């Protein structure tokens, strides 16, 4: 029998009105129920019957990014990935402060939690046109076969804030994203109109799930360590 | 003591009241889009220009210079977005839409086959834009032909020496309050009820000072 593996629209891990008053039910109905859904549908129709059919979403994103010469399904695959990641980055009664290893690295790499927030906020306000802003864990790994870092240190792996246009995400550059905010205007226009600064402030103060970010950091660190070990074995 | 006069760029008002495009574009949308976003670009540009050697350029010169052959300088986005928005407001009028008048219609039929081909292509082009940007009907100066194309973010056809005739803002802020994610309705309403063929015609006449669209008319002595 023919097996058709369709990628599915994952619902946010909370009900659509549970981020109110910070993000309205109407915004989520449109943003998740319509924009996100349309990317899933479009992606499924573009990959049906191609070499991408049956691959996992991560692999589709990397394959279609095609080292910077994106194939047609890329924008939809990446937008599905980004939106899944965005919904999971926030929660009702979020905000507050991170703790443990995450806080430690934030303080090491940005000086303080508030300086990291400032940098994140500034990136979100200056992203021109549609796009995303990220906190990511950048492992020191070059995609060049024979490149070797002569003096590797723990600090090579660090937290960074960066922005990306339209659908691009740092995952395609081999970074491990930890947190993202959607700064496409559809993400905030109904609730905040053109006051993006308010949206970004509320996102950081009331919505971010630092538990999820911490958990992602653990995975990212483990992934980087596993790879470093593998590289050593190879060399 | 003489007063210092600073002649920076000003915010130009749309040539109609902010509620004059209702029900297709609401007063609130224009208050935010013109009074907030467009104004924001003017304020930011003036701040940049105040400490810059670019002071004194016309807007067109400023856009071409700061585009810097595709490696835009920091002023570019603000300058181009001011020009694009001014151009957009004047691309619309209350009771717009309908058919272009004779001479322009002829040119459209010549370059697109028919008005309905042109209309379909414009709508399709707008629907295909991914991310923020603009859709243009412009006169290509080398090909001497009307052409539809889209640009990302702040890119403005002036930078390639083309002569824009109509510009449609496809940034989400242009339509989200009024149309939400129904982009198709926004673009169709623009074509049917808002587009100003009056402005387009005036722009075509001006364009013909730079581009000869027919056989050269050489006066015979």
């Amino acid at each position: 029998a023919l097996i058709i593996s369709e990628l599915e629209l994952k619902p946010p891990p909370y009900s659509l009105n549970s981020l109110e008053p910070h993000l309205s039910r109407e915004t989520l109905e449109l943003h998740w129920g319509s924009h996100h859904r349309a990317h899933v549908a479009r992606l499924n129709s573009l990959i049906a019957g191609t070499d991408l059919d049956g691959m996992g979403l991560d692999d589709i994103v990397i394959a279609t990014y095609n080292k910077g010469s994106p194939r047609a399904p890329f924008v939809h695959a990446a937008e599905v990935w980004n939106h899944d990641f965005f919904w999971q980055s926030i929660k009702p009664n979020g905000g507050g402060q991170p703790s443990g290893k995450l806080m430690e690295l934030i303080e090491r790499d940005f000086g303080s939690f508030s300086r990291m927030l400032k940098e994140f906020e500034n990136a979100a306000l200056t992203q021109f046109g549609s796009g995303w802003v990220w906190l990511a864990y950048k492992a020191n790994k070059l995609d060049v076969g024979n490149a070797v870092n002569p003096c590797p240190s723990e600090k090579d792996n660090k937290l960074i804030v960066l922005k990306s246009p339209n659908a691009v995400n740092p995952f395609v550059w081999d970074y491990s994203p930890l947190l993202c905010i959607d700064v496409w205007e559809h993400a905030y226009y109904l609730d905040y109109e053109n006051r993006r600064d308010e949206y970004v402030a509320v996102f950081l103060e009331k919505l971010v799930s630092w538990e999820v970010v911490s958990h992602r950091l653990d995975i990212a660190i483990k992934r980087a360590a596993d790879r470093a070990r593998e590289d050593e074995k190879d060399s | 003591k003489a007063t210092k006069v600073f002649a920076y760029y000003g915010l130009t008002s749309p040539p109609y009241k902010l509620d004059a495009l209702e029900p297709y574009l609401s007063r609130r949308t224009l208050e935010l889009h013109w009074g907030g976003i467009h104004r924001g670009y003017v304020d930011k540009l003036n701040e940049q220009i105040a400490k810059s050697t670019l002071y004194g350029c016309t807007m067109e010169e400023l856009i071409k210079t700061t585009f810097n052959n595709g490696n835009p300088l920091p002023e570019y986005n603000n300058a181009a977005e001011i020009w694009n928005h001014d151009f957009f407001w004047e691309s619309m009028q209350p009771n717009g839409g309908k058919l272009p008048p004779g001479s322009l219609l002829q040119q459209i039929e010549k370059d697109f086959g028919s008005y309905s081909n042109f209309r379909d292509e414009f709508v399709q082009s707008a629907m295909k834009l991914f991310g923020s940007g603009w859709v243009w009907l412009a006169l290509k100066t080398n090909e001497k032909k009307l052409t539809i194309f889209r640009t990302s973010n702040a890119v403005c056809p002036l930078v390639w020496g083309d002569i824009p005739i109509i510009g449609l803002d496809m940034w989400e802020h242009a339509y989200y309050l009024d149309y939400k994610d129904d982009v198709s309705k926004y673009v169709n309403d623009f074509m049917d009820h808002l587009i100003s063929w009056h402005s387009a015609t005036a722009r075509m006449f001006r364009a013909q000072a730079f581009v000869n669209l027919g056989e050269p008319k050489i006066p015979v002595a």
Side-chain angles (χ1 to χ4, degrees):
Chain A
L2 187 66
I3 297 167
I4 297 170
S5 55
E6 291 232 310
L7 293 155
E8 54 167 5
L9 174 68
K10 273 192 224 158
Y14 36 77
S15 61
L16 296 188
N17 60 0
S18 61
L19 301 181
E20 291 192 331
H22 312 305
L23 290 178
S24 65
R25 163 189 272 276
E26 196 190 8
T27 290
L28 264 75
E29 279 171 353
L30 282 160
H31 194 176
W32 172 74
S34 191
H35 289 269
H36 188 166
R37 185 188 304 275
H39 285 301
V40 174
R42 195 89 180 86
L43 177 62
N44 278 322
S45 80
L46 282 174
I47 64 174
T50 71
D51 56 321
L52 303 165
D53 205 341
M55 283 166 84
L57 184 60
D58 285 13
D59 293 335
I60 297 177
V61 169
I62 299 293
T64 55
Y65 183 66
N66 196 21
K67 297 189 189 254
S69 311
R71 295 163 57 186
F74 172 74
V75 293
H76 303 294
E79 282 292 78
V80 173
W81 197 103
N82 296 348
H83 281 97
D84 282 342
F85 196 83
F86 176 64
W87 301 127
Q88 287 162 21
S89 297
I90 53 183
K91 63 168 189 180
N93 302 312
Q97 286 206 356
S99 56
K101 184 77 179 164
L102 176 59
M103 192 57 150
E104 202 180 290
L105 288 192
I106 287 174
E107 286 172 347
R108 187 193 75 182
D109 296 334
F110 295 93
S112 67
F113 178 56
S114 67
R115 282 176 57 184
M116 189 281 288
L117 292 183
K118 194 105 203 115
E119 196 172 315
F120 191 89
E121 221 162 7
N122 187 46
L125 295 183
T126 54
Q127 166 57 29
F128 185 78
S130 304
W132 300 79
V133 170
W134 308 83
L135 175 68
Y137 183 72
K138 180 176 180 292
N140 179 48
K141 177 110 167 62
L142 292 171
D143 189 15
V144 180
N146 58 357
V148 176
N149 184 348
C151 14
S153 93
E154 165 60 16
K155 278 196 167 191
D156 294 337
N157 299 331
K158 61 177 178 184
L159 298 179
I160 52 168
V161 164
L162 74 166
K163 36 191 178 180
S164 64
N166 290 350
V168 179
N169 68 32
F171 178 63
V172 302
W173 302 314
D174 208 28
Y175 302 168
S176 302
L178 305 177
L179 169 69
C180 76
I181 182 171
D182 189 343
V183 291
W184 282 62
E185 289 168 320
H186 64 236
Y188 61 87
Y189 220 75
L190 294 185
D191 296 327
Y192 298 92
E193 296 180 328
N194 62 337
R195 303 181 301 281
R196 191 192 286 193
D197 53 341
E198 258 176 56
Y199 162 63
V200 177
V202 167
F203 174 88
L204 291 171
E205 282 161 29
K206 312 276 188 196
L207 293 173
V208 174
S209 169
W210 291 113
E211 293 76 21
V212 168
V213 179
S214 273
H215 178 64
R216 287 168 175 165
L217 177 65
D218 292 342
I219 296 172
I221 290 174
K222 183 170 178 308
R223 179 170 167 248
D226 287 350
R227 284 173 153 206
R229 260 197 303 280
E230 255 169 52
D231 286 354
E232 240 166 74
K233 247 189 282 166
D234 291 347
S235 62
Chain B
K1 188 178 147 199
T3 327
K4 257 192 195 164
V5 177
F6 293 105
Y8 294 157
Y9 301 100
L11 176 68
T12 316
S13 311
Y16 37 77
K17 290 197 181 133
L18 296 189
D19 60 4
L21 302 181
E22 290 191 338
Y24 308 109
L25 289 179
S26 64
R27 162 191 271 276
R28 186 67 188 147
T29 289
L30 265 75
E31 280 171 356
L32 290 164
H33 194 176
W34 171 73
I37 293 172
H38 186 168
R39 185 189 304 277
Y41 291 127
V42 175
D43 291 345
K44 276 181 268 169
L45 178 67
N46 282 332
E47 213 175 282
Q48 289 171 320
I49 293 294
K51 336 163 227 181
S52 152
T53 52
L54 293 162
Y55 173 77
C57 289
T58 65
M59 190 58 84
E60 197 166 330
E61 287 166 344
L62 187 65
I63 288 169
K64 287 184 179 168
T65 309
T66 57
F67 186 64
N68 195 25
N69 295 314
N71 301 293
L73 307 179
E75 296 85 357
Y76 175 77
N77 284 340
N78 293 323
E81 281 294 81
I82 294 168
W83 193 95
N84 291 347
H85 280 95
D86 279 338
F87 194 83
F88 174 56
W89 304 129
E90 295 191 359
S91 293
M92 299 187 286
Q93 63 172 71
N95 297 312
K98 305 173 192 78
L99 278 183
S103 61
L104 179 53
L105 185 59
Q106 273 174 18
Q107 189 67 36
I108 285 175
E109 286 172 343
K110 179 167 168 246
D111 295 335
F112 296 94
S114 67
Y115 172 77
S116 80
N117 283 358
F118 153 78
R119 193 187 177 289
D120 289 351
E121 192 183 329
F122 195 93
V123 173
Q124 283 309 312
S125 184
M127 301 287 295
K128 277 192 205 141
L129 181 81
F130 183 76
S132 310
W134 299 80
V135 182
W136 305 92
L137 172 68
L139 185 62
K140 288 267 181 195
T141 39
N142 292 331
E143 294 89 336
K144 304 183 180 185
K145 194 174 176 238
L146 287 173
T147 308
I148 292 164
F149 54 89
R150 43 182 186 271
T151 60
S152 275
N153 291 350
V155 177
C156 161
L158 292 180
V159 301
W160 303 299
D162 294 330
I163 304 176
I165 303 298
I166 288 291
L168 173 60
D169 192 342
M170 293 302 297
W171 284 60
E172 288 174 320
H173 63 234
Y175 61 82
Y176 215 78
L177 294 185
D178 299 326
Y179 296 90
K180 316 260 161 62
D181 65 329
D182 196 349
V183 189
S184 160
K185 182 150 195 326
Y186 166 62
V187 180
N188 277 289
D189 279 356
F190 174 81
M191 297 305 278
D192 296 338
H193 303 288
L194 294 174
I195 197 169
S196 174
W197 290 117
H198 188 75
S199 291
T201 305
R203 288 163 176 168
M204 276 302 279
F205 277 121
R206 179 184 171 275
Q208 288 177 68
F210 304 94
V211 178
N212 189 326
L213 293 172
E215 294 299 316
K217 289 183 195 121
I218 301 165
V220 178

